[in-house]
Amino acid sequence: MTTKTLTITEDLQQYLMETGVREPAVLNQLREVTATLRGAQMQISPEQGQFMRFLIQILNAKNILEIGTFTGYSSICMAMELPADGQLIACDLPGESNDIARDFWKKAGVEDKISFRLEGALAVLDELLTEDNNHGRFDFAFIDADKKSYDAYYEKCLKLLRPGGIIAIDNMLWSGRVVNAANDDDQTQALDALNRKIHKDTRVFPSLVPIADGLMLARKI
Ligand code: CA
């Protein structure tokens, strides 16, 4: 027993996969395809996908924002849990991963729930913010893109989120590098600064969850 978070050994990771994750075959297949690509480590882990599905379920989410789609693993997890009339707006830059995401959305039967925006996410969020009825419309936002823009994504998503909605921000423990951010690069410093900002941010109730590379959850008050 311990009052600290466990160190996850390879054996324990295997056990976690066996007993803590129900991964549909289509997502397993997507992991195999993604593993051959450059940037394969950008894919979220299966236990994180399971956790995000759980969050979408308990929120009864209907409208979701995703900043950073890559080959589509996280978007499939979230879209699977949306009702038929739910919508996920997925933002990414044009690249070789786009077609894989589209292909697997079809395979997973979620393509009708996803609107793909292939441009800078800040522009997409700004466009959404120009319409008053988008303010407070979204139940969930997942941020997993360029780290130096995280703070800007967070601020814009917070405006688009309803009270009680959740922003989930990926890689917030950054392989542990955040503990020595002052001596590290500007991506690490940006992540550390955002962790510290959210810790004090009275607009949200935070929980920094040490799953995978660290998932910051901020629930809008
Ligand atoms: Ca990530």
Side-chain angles (χ1 to χ4, degrees), residues 41-44 48 142-145 147 150 170-171 174 213:
Q41 78 290 346
M42 293 197 294
Q43 183 167 57
I44 66 162
Q48 182 174 337
F142 179 53
I143 299 174
D144 187 12
K147 307 313 173 200
Y150 263 26
D170 201 35
N171 303 104
W174 204 229
D213 197 27

